[in-house]
Amino acid sequence: VPEHSPDEEQTLAVPGITAIDPEGVSKQFSWSIDEESGDASYFGLRTYDADSSTVDLLFKNGAIPSFENDEERDLNVTISVSDGTFLSTKLINLSLKDINDAPKQIKTKVTVYEPEKYAVANLNEIFVDEDKDNNLLTFKLPASSDNEFFEMEGAALAFRKGFSDFEEKSWYNVFLVATDQRGSSTEGNLTVSVADMPEPPQIRDGELDDDDYIFNDPIIFSKEYSIKE
């Protein structure tokens, strides 16, 4: 039984189990699960034709086994079918097959306070691996409009060294790719908001140079004076 993808019916275990009458006589069938057998607590049956000759074996809602847990990889259940006179039983063995889940993005926004400067996020807190083996994720920072302002070392995302204009924009959209060790990738966008923190006035000695006009805060200048009577 393969692990279902999100767009498939999660409860379906074994579809289309069919009973026939060897003599070719049309009969009404009734099905049941031996509740004392193996892993019967996981399963239920669904009929969908007039004579109930075909059923699906389902996982009960709320009882779908973990495909990531080795102890639940092999299951078995006994089902029975009756034509009103005779009863037949069948032991069904199921082997669960895990499929690799791509990394999942669990966080889409972070806020950076200006005094922290370059550090932005640990990407292992932005993306997670949902498989049991907890794969080590790797990350890429592809070329995109706002990615030029950022750099990455391992899982550490940061503003690139030398970047200082935290006043220009209040947020950035970072495009990221997370990949697990089995090669499954997930693309995601992370909104980085910059919280501008007030800065204290600056005290400087000497004349005001043209370059000093870059400061937005009050600036106090001092000079030496000689006072005579």
Side-chain angles (χ1 to χ4, degrees):
V1 180
E3 182 180 5
H4 297 302
S5 62
D7 58 349
E8 295 176 324
E9 184 178 2
Q10 294 293 320
T11 59
L12 185 60
V14 181
I17 302 172
T18 301
I20 61 171
D21 186 285
E23 299 174 348
V25 178
S26 178
K27 294 184 178 180
Q28 186 74 26
F29 297 98
S30 61
W31 297 81
S32 62
I33 289 177
D34 181 355
E35 298 297 337
E36 302 299 321
S37 66
D39 302 291
S41 60
Y42 282 111
F43 299 101
L45 294 170
R46 174 178 64 189
T47 60
Y48 49 83
D49 51 12
D51 60 1
S52 299
S53 61
T54 303
V55 296
D56 291 333
L57 182 65
L58 307 175
F59 292 120
K60 292 179 180 177
N61 286 328
I64 299 175
S66 170
F67 282 78
E68 319 296 341
N69 189 334
D70 289 336
E71 295 179 357
E72 294 181 326
R73 287 291 177 89
D74 295 307
L75 304 176
N76 66 79
V77 63
T78 299
I79 64 173
S80 301
V81 61
S82 172
D83 63 2
T85 303
F86 298 102
L87 181 73
S88 295
T89 63
K90 182 73 173 179
L91 174 65
I92 297 179
N93 295 298
L94 300 94
S95 179
L96 307 185
K97 182 180 179 182
D98 178 35
I99 61 172
N100 185 41
D101 298 307
K104 179 180 180 181
Q105 185 172 0
I106 59 172
K107 199 172 181 180
T108 58
K109 297 179 181 179
V110 295
T111 299
V112 177
Y113 294 91
E114 187 178 340
E116 296 177 7
K117 296 300 182 185
Y118 301 114
V120 172
N122 178 355
L123 296 181
N124 285 315
E125 297 175 357
I126 306 299
F127 295 88
V128 296
D129 175 30
E130 294 193 301
D131 288 307
K132 182 190 173 186
D133 47 9
N134 194 25
N135 286 320
L136 178 67
L137 301 181
T138 58
F139 304 96
K140 289 183 179 180
L141 190 64
S144 69
S145 56
D146 283 350
N147 282 17
E148 64 178 313
F149 301 110
F150 296 86
E151 61 187 16
M152 191 169 56
E153 182 175 345
L157 179 68
F159 280 101
R160 59 176 170 77
K161 297 298 186 291
F163 179 78
S164 59
D165 194 357
F166 291 92
E167 315 282 340
E168 182 180 353
K169 295 177 64 173
S170 60
W171 62 272
Y172 298 83
N173 186 39
V174 185
F175 176 59
L176 299 161
V177 179
T179 305
D180 65 24
Q181 289 182 325
R182 291 197 245 173
S184 293
S185 297
T186 296
E187 297 179 351
N189 291 286
L190 180 67
T191 300
V192 178
S193 298
V194 179
D196 182 23
M197 301 295 288
E199 297 180 11
Q202 300 182 21
I203 300 176
R204 312 186 102 195
D205 291 328
E207 299 291 340
L208 180 65
D209 297 326
D210 290 340
D211 292 340
D212 289 324
Y213 282 106
I214 63 173
F215 295 101
N216 297 319
D217 300 308
I219 302 173
I220 299 175
F221 296 92
S222 66
K223 275 192 169 185
E224 293 184 2
Y225 292 91
S226 174
I227 300 176
K228 298 180 180 180
E229 290 186 8

